[in-house]
Amino acid sequence: MEPSKAPEIFLKPYDPAMQEPRVLALWEKGGYGNPDVCVEKGVTKTDAPSYSIVLPPPNVTGTLHMGHAAMLAIQDILIRYHRMKGLRTLWLPGTDHAAIATQSVVEKELQKKEKKTRHDLGREEFLKRVEDFAQMSHDTIVGQIKAMGASVDWSREAYTLDETRSRAVQEAFKRMYDAGLIYRGNRIVNWDPKGQTTVSDDEVTYEETTGVLYTFRYSKDFPVAIATTRPETKVGDTAVAVHPNDKRYKEFIGQKFDVEFAGAKLALKIIADTAVDPEFGTGAVGVTPAHSFTDWEIAQRHELPLVQVIDEHARMTEAAGELVAGKKASEARERIVSWLKENDLLDKEEQTPMNIAKADRSGGTIEPLPKLQWWVAVDKEVQFPNGKTMTLKEWMKDVVSSGQIKIVPERFEKIYYNWIDNLRPWCISRQIWYGHRIPVWYHEPKCIPIPGRESDIEKCIPIIVSAERPECKFCAAQYHQDLDTLDTWFSSGLWTFSTLGWPEKTRDLEMYHPTDVLETGYDILFFWVARMILMTGFLLADIPFRNVYLHGLVRDEKGRKMSKSLGNIIDPLVMIQKYGADAARLSLIIGASPGNDVKLSEPRVAGYKNFANKIWNITRFVLENFDVNALSAKLNKNDEVLLEEAKNIAREVTKNIEEFRLDLAANSIYHFVWDRFAAEIIEESKPIFKADDGSPSSPSGQAAASRRYTLYSILYASLKLLHPFMPFVTEAIWRELPQKEAELLMVARWPQYNSRNV
RNA sequence: GCACCCUUAGCUCAGUUGGUUAGAGCGUUCGAUUCACAUUCGAAAGGCCGAAGGUUCGAAUCCUUCAGGGUGCACCA
């Protein structure tokens, strides 16, 4: 029996740069990313249960980074595994318009290259620029997703701002508006003076600094001293609050004072409120309803008037009084402090730790301002489509605490609850141009009666929610659309079902929703995951996904965030070019336990390239010593034990994938292949093949045949087990195998470790 | 202020419900190699598992306290 020669390709080391494009072409030709094709071609049974993941859509703000690469690797492992298991598997790709993020990238470019602002171009022209940029960025991203080997279904690709998704956004807005969940209201917003827009609470980050706490009296005869770190806002005070049990101030509660303070006339009422901490400062708070969230709430409780003294450009308004009106807030502060000194009203200046609120995107210092904006009510009781009445907050808690949605790692559930407990109404309107225009039309400033039909005006509806411009039968005024756009997370919140065709009742929606896993970085648990649960709950009375798997952040070797300014960015494409996509993937998987950050360095990626070559050479050895006749060989006891060992590995890998321990799964197959299969089993085989006398009936010939079969079986099973982790090299090898069950490894069956066959 | 996470070999990290001499990768040192693998193989050095108590027949693992590092949220007059 003459052993077959291994294909020539194995005589050279594994070359990912050469093999990967060929493998990509094979996959593209196969079309198995689309589950319908899998069913058509018979690799998936018609009645197979479904398994679905929607890709968290990358922002069209440029190129993908290592975090995206990690996300793609993890999801592709889950997808390939389930596809091989025989499930009807859908991985739906897409990109996110990322409103504020994309707009600001384009604005910066515009400023840098042409010294223009968006207002110089006008809304239409500017939007065209943004769209061009978004398209370019989209194409780059698609190329990168492919290069990573992600087996997504491109036929279902979606964009958060395309037509279908726009319809979903308008429908969602309308339903929530009709239910009273979305309302327009004058509340304190996080105003970003730099970006000239509102931002949500979650888009605000806090920086610790040291500030000065000033203790002073409004005037000589004012009975109470107060403390503040923002003296410039004090010209907008309308009350002084003390704790109801504070004996020092009890006698003053309810009294009113008119004072002249730094050029402003203040009418101050002394009130009692439990929000006041008697231990802090003097135990008395100057209440500024227009420029502080807590003060605004106090003002609501006590029906206090509101005086806005700072405007959208962080300048003092006319209402701030003659001393500081028109000045920058920072200047106003100095002015007022010196005024206090001049008038001998300042008791104390002391250093105090404080947090400065910054807008996440623009870095502007947040100025709390009262503004008329659109909000999602999270504490309002509403009827859900399933008939139940509850608040959005209650829903969000229930679906997690009841176990309908599982968060992995579990500790994030606590963080999630904590976030919900502190959740305030969600401000969804933004004063930027790129995004979903708010589908609301107004008769503003007012309705205009039609001559001769003046009484009709009572029937007129001055605010209408609609995708198209409505016509008014009762009034002569035109409807004007709201100028604002929606928070990008509003459309992202619909992602699991807008991608499947909602609000149409599509087959996809029925088959793939709820999705099985939402896999993303823990940094957007609140931004996105919580919002998806909220939106899906109200609109579908359903959950968007059964599992949330949170991966850690990819950092540099010193544990720092990768950033342009630090110059420590590792570009996934460069890594793929140098070491292959398989190596890049493995470096992001092994050693990355759920929810924990990964420290990545180039040598780490390089190390896994060796592994791909190892598999390559194992194959060479096995095929050089293989013979199809060996497939019918009678197995020796020894060899049966080896096959049993391989089954145990298959069992271990499977269990770990099921438990989201991809790091452990990858690790165990890695070690089995290298340390057991290559280093020991193959080494032991060499003498067996040497001793082979070529006669199938002799003991030596029989032993060799048994071993040939065994090596082939172990290789065969190893390729399958490795495939989700290293799809390229395994698929390239599969192509060369003389005996196999399927044209492509990506649709071969996952090893059945319960049966006799590996 | 309220939570959470991390601390194990020089570096990066595993060690999943407590169970024999604590593991891997990279790095270091020594050796082998006409042999599937210029990307290979073997071996060695290197750890009072952050500290102190406790529970237990038995603790890296469970409990308490503390220290250092990090994160989230709140407060921020």
PDB file of all heavy atoms in Angstrom, chain A residues 137-155:
ATOM      1  N   SER A 137     -16.769  55.848   4.483  1.00  0.00           N
ATOM      2  CA  SER A 137     -16.454  55.158   5.718  1.00  0.00           C
ATOM      3  C   SER A 137     -17.132  53.786   5.751  1.00  0.00           C
ATOM      4  O   SER A 137     -16.542  52.789   6.170  1.00  0.00           O
ATOM      5  CB  SER A 137     -16.926  56.041   6.862  1.00  0.00           C
ATOM      6  OG  SER A 137     -16.795  55.402   8.058  1.00  0.00           O
ATOM      7  N   HIS A 138     -18.350  53.743   5.258  1.00  0.00           N
ATOM      8  CA  HIS A 138     -19.086  52.483   5.185  1.00  0.00           C
ATOM      9  C   HIS A 138     -18.328  51.442   4.356  1.00  0.00           C
ATOM     10  O   HIS A 138     -18.169  50.298   4.765  1.00  0.00           O
ATOM     11  CB  HIS A 138     -20.475  52.725   4.576  1.00  0.00           C
ATOM     12  CG  HIS A 138     -21.129  51.474   4.066  1.00  0.00           C
ATOM     13  ND1 HIS A 138     -20.977  51.029   2.777  1.00  0.00           N
ATOM     14  CD2 HIS A 138     -21.904  50.557   4.686  1.00  0.00           C
ATOM     15  CE1 HIS A 138     -21.642  49.891   2.617  1.00  0.00           C
ATOM     16  NE2 HIS A 138     -22.213  49.589   3.767  1.00  0.00           N
ATOM     17  N   ASP A 139     -17.844  51.865   3.192  1.00  0.00           N
ATOM     18  CA  ASP A 139     -17.163  50.930   2.302  1.00  0.00           C
ATOM     19  C   ASP A 139     -15.890  50.372   2.937  1.00  0.00           C
ATOM     20  O   ASP A 139     -15.596  49.186   2.821  1.00  0.00           O
ATOM     21  CB  ASP A 139     -16.837  51.621   0.971  1.00  0.00           C
ATOM     22  CG  ASP A 139     -18.105  52.050   0.227  1.00  0.00           C
ATOM     23  OD1 ASP A 139     -19.205  51.604   0.642  1.00  0.00           O
ATOM     24  OD2 ASP A 139     -18.009  52.825  -0.730  1.00  0.00           O
ATOM     25  N   THR A 140     -15.175  51.254   3.614  1.00  0.00           N
ATOM     26  CA  THR A 140     -13.975  50.805   4.319  1.00  0.00           C
ATOM     27  C   THR A 140     -14.337  49.754   5.359  1.00  0.00           C
ATOM     28  O   THR A 140     -13.704  48.705   5.470  1.00  0.00           O
ATOM     29  CB  THR A 140     -13.317  51.990   5.053  1.00  0.00           C
ATOM     30  OG1 THR A 140     -13.199  53.073   4.145  1.00  0.00           O
ATOM     31  CG2 THR A 140     -11.971  51.605   5.604  1.00  0.00           C
ATOM     32  N   ILE A 141     -15.371  50.059   6.110  1.00  0.00           N
ATOM     33  CA  ILE A 141     -15.777  49.164   7.191  1.00  0.00           C
ATOM     34  C   ILE A 141     -16.200  47.799   6.656  1.00  0.00           C
ATOM     35  O   ILE A 141     -15.813  46.762   7.200  1.00  0.00           O
ATOM     36  CB  ILE A 141     -16.913  49.817   8.016  1.00  0.00           C
ATOM     37  CG1 ILE A 141     -16.343  50.977   8.833  1.00  0.00           C
ATOM     38  CG2 ILE A 141     -17.584  48.806   8.913  1.00  0.00           C
ATOM     39  CD1 ILE A 141     -17.384  51.860   9.466  1.00  0.00           C
ATOM     40  N   VAL A 142     -16.945  47.803   5.567  1.00  0.00           N
ATOM     41  CA  VAL A 142     -17.376  46.533   4.985  1.00  0.00           C
ATOM     42  C   VAL A 142     -16.161  45.694   4.598  1.00  0.00           C
ATOM     43  O   VAL A 142     -16.099  44.489   4.867  1.00  0.00           O
ATOM     44  CB  VAL A 142     -18.302  46.777   3.773  1.00  0.00           C
ATOM     45  CG1 VAL A 142     -18.493  45.500   2.968  1.00  0.00           C
ATOM     46  CG2 VAL A 142     -19.648  47.316   4.229  1.00  0.00           C
ATOM     47  N   GLY A 143     -15.171  46.350   4.007  1.00  0.00           N
ATOM     48  CA  GLY A 143     -13.944  45.647   3.637  1.00  0.00           C
ATOM     49  C   GLY A 143     -13.265  45.041   4.848  1.00  0.00           C
ATOM     50  O   GLY A 143     -12.767  43.916   4.804  1.00  0.00           O
ATOM     51  N   GLN A 144     -13.270  45.774   5.941  1.00  0.00           N
ATOM     52  CA  GLN A 144     -12.607  45.279   7.152  1.00  0.00           C
ATOM     53  C   GLN A 144     -13.358  44.107   7.772  1.00  0.00           C
ATOM     54  O   GLN A 144     -12.758  43.167   8.258  1.00  0.00           O
ATOM     55  CB  GLN A 144     -12.494  46.422   8.162  1.00  0.00           C
ATOM     56  CG  GLN A 144     -11.435  47.443   7.764  1.00  0.00           C
ATOM     57  CD  GLN A 144     -11.387  48.586   8.748  1.00  0.00           C
ATOM     58  OE1 GLN A 144     -12.368  49.293   8.932  1.00  0.00           O
ATOM     59  NE2 GLN A 144     -10.254  48.761   9.377  1.00  0.00           N
ATOM     60  N   ILE A 145     -14.665  44.191   7.739  1.00  0.00           N
ATOM     61  CA  ILE A 145     -15.472  43.099   8.295  1.00  0.00           C
ATOM     62  C   ILE A 145     -15.194  41.813   7.517  1.00  0.00           C
ATOM     63  O   ILE A 145     -15.025  40.742   8.093  1.00  0.00           O
ATOM     64  CB  ILE A 145     -16.978  43.450   8.255  1.00  0.00           C
ATOM     65  CG1 ILE A 145     -17.276  44.623   9.188  1.00  0.00           C
ATOM     66  CG2 ILE A 145     -17.825  42.252   8.645  1.00  0.00           C
ATOM     67  CD1 ILE A 145     -18.712  45.128   9.138  1.00  0.00           C
ATOM     68  N   LYS A 146     -15.097  41.966   6.205  1.00  0.00           N
ATOM     69  CA  LYS A 146     -14.804  40.794   5.373  1.00  0.00           C
ATOM     70  C   LYS A 146     -13.412  40.248   5.679  1.00  0.00           C
ATOM     71  O   LYS A 146     -13.225  39.044   5.791  1.00  0.00           O
ATOM     72  CB  LYS A 146     -14.916  41.158   3.895  1.00  0.00           C
ATOM     73  CG  LYS A 146     -16.363  41.335   3.473  1.00  0.00           C
ATOM     74  CD  LYS A 146     -16.479  41.597   1.976  1.00  0.00           C
ATOM     75  CE  LYS A 146     -17.965  41.714   1.599  1.00  0.00           C
ATOM     76  NZ  LYS A 146     -18.142  42.244   0.225  1.00  0.00           N
ATOM     77  N   ALA A 147     -12.446  41.153   5.796  1.00  0.00           N
ATOM     78  CA  ALA A 147     -11.070  40.722   6.038  1.00  0.00           C
ATOM     79  C   ALA A 147     -10.931  39.935   7.335  1.00  0.00           C
ATOM     80  O   ALA A 147     -10.071  39.079   7.465  1.00  0.00           O
ATOM     81  CB  ALA A 147     -10.145  41.930   6.056  1.00  0.00           C
ATOM     82  N   MET A 148     -11.790  40.238   8.296  1.00  0.00           N
ATOM     83  CA  MET A 148     -11.752  39.509   9.562  1.00  0.00           C
ATOM     84  C   MET A 148     -12.334  38.098   9.424  1.00  0.00           C
ATOM     85  O   MET A 148     -12.234  37.284  10.333  1.00  0.00           O
ATOM     86  CB  MET A 148     -12.557  40.263  10.629  1.00  0.00           C
ATOM     87  CG  MET A 148     -11.807  41.406  11.304  1.00  0.00           C
ATOM     88  SD  MET A 148     -10.352  40.857  12.227  1.00  0.00           S
ATOM     89  CE  MET A 148     -11.102  39.957  13.591  1.00  0.00           C
ATOM     90  N   GLY A 149     -12.982  37.850   8.328  1.00  0.00           N
ATOM     91  CA  GLY A 149     -13.576  36.529   8.121  1.00  0.00           C
ATOM     92  C   GLY A 149     -14.982  36.396   8.668  1.00  0.00           C
ATOM     93  O   GLY A 149     -15.499  35.291   8.808  1.00  0.00           O
ATOM     94  N   ALA A 150     -15.596  37.525   8.996  1.00  0.00           N
ATOM     95  CA  ALA A 150     -16.933  37.493   9.599  1.00  0.00           C
ATOM     96  C   ALA A 150     -17.963  36.950   8.618  1.00  0.00           C
ATOM     97  O   ALA A 150     -18.144  37.502   7.541  1.00  0.00           O
ATOM     98  CB  ALA A 150     -17.327  38.899  10.047  1.00  0.00           C
ATOM     99  N   SER A 151     -18.644  35.883   9.015  1.00  0.00           N
ATOM    100  CA  SER A 151     -19.576  35.219   8.093  1.00  0.00           C
ATOM    101  C   SER A 151     -20.988  35.785   8.227  1.00  0.00           C
ATOM    102  O   SER A 151     -21.929  35.088   8.575  1.00  0.00           O
ATOM    103  CB  SER A 151     -19.586  33.716   8.340  1.00  0.00           C
ATOM    104  OG  SER A 151     -19.926  33.414   9.673  1.00  0.00           O
ATOM    105  N   VAL A 152     -21.089  37.074   7.961  1.00  0.00           N
ATOM    106  CA  VAL A 152     -22.387  37.741   8.061  1.00  0.00           C
ATOM    107  C   VAL A 152     -23.185  37.522   6.772  1.00  0.00           C
ATOM    108  O   VAL A 152     -22.663  37.085   5.764  1.00  0.00           O
ATOM    109  CB  VAL A 152     -22.222  39.268   8.278  1.00  0.00           C
ATOM    110  CG1 VAL A 152     -21.461  39.541   9.545  1.00  0.00           C
ATOM    111  CG2 VAL A 152     -21.524  39.907   7.093  1.00  0.00           C
ATOM    112  N   ASP A 153     -24.466  37.855   6.850  1.00  0.00           N
ATOM    113  CA  ASP A 153     -25.332  37.746   5.683  1.00  0.00           C
ATOM    114  C   ASP A 153     -25.461  39.116   5.031  1.00  0.00           C
ATOM    115  O   ASP A 153     -26.275  39.948   5.438  1.00  0.00           O
ATOM    116  CB  ASP A 153     -26.711  37.238   6.128  1.00  0.00           C
ATOM    117  CG  ASP A 153     -27.671  37.143   4.951  1.00  0.00           C
ATOM    118  OD1 ASP A 153     -27.246  37.410   3.808  1.00  0.00           O
ATOM    119  OD2 ASP A 153     -28.840  36.806   5.187  1.00  0.00           O
ATOM    120  N   TRP A 154     -24.665  39.357   3.995  1.00  0.00           N
ATOM    121  CA  TRP A 154     -24.656  40.685   3.380  1.00  0.00           C
ATOM    122  C   TRP A 154     -25.958  41.014   2.668  1.00  0.00           C
ATOM    123  O   TRP A 154     -26.264  42.184   2.443  1.00  0.00           O
ATOM    124  CB  TRP A 154     -23.475  40.831   2.409  1.00  0.00           C
ATOM    125  CG  TRP A 154     -22.160  40.903   3.125  1.00  0.00           C
ATOM    126  CD1 TRP A 154     -21.191  39.947   3.159  1.00  0.00           C
ATOM    127  CD2 TRP A 154     -21.692  41.975   3.956  1.00  0.00           C
ATOM    128  NE1 TRP A 154     -20.144  40.353   3.957  1.00  0.00           N
ATOM    129  CE2 TRP A 154     -20.426  41.600   4.451  1.00  0.00           C
ATOM    130  CE3 TRP A 154     -22.212  43.218   4.335  1.00  0.00           C
ATOM    131  CZ2 TRP A 154     -19.675  42.399   5.294  1.00  0.00           C
ATOM    132  CZ3 TRP A 154     -21.461  44.034   5.181  1.00  0.00           C
ATOM    133  CH2 TRP A 154     -20.209  43.616   5.651  1.00  0.00           C
ATOM    134  N   SER A 155     -26.722  40.007   2.343  1.00  0.00           N
ATOM    135  CA  SER A 155     -27.970  40.281   1.631  1.00  0.00           C
ATOM    136  C   SER A 155     -28.971  41.014   2.527  1.00  0.00           C
ATOM    137  O   SER A 155     -29.927  41.586   2.047  1.00  0.00           O
ATOM    138  CB  SER A 155     -28.588  38.977   1.127  1.00  0.00           C
ATOM    139  OG  SER A 155     -29.187  38.267   2.194  1.00  0.00           O
TER     140      SER A 155
END
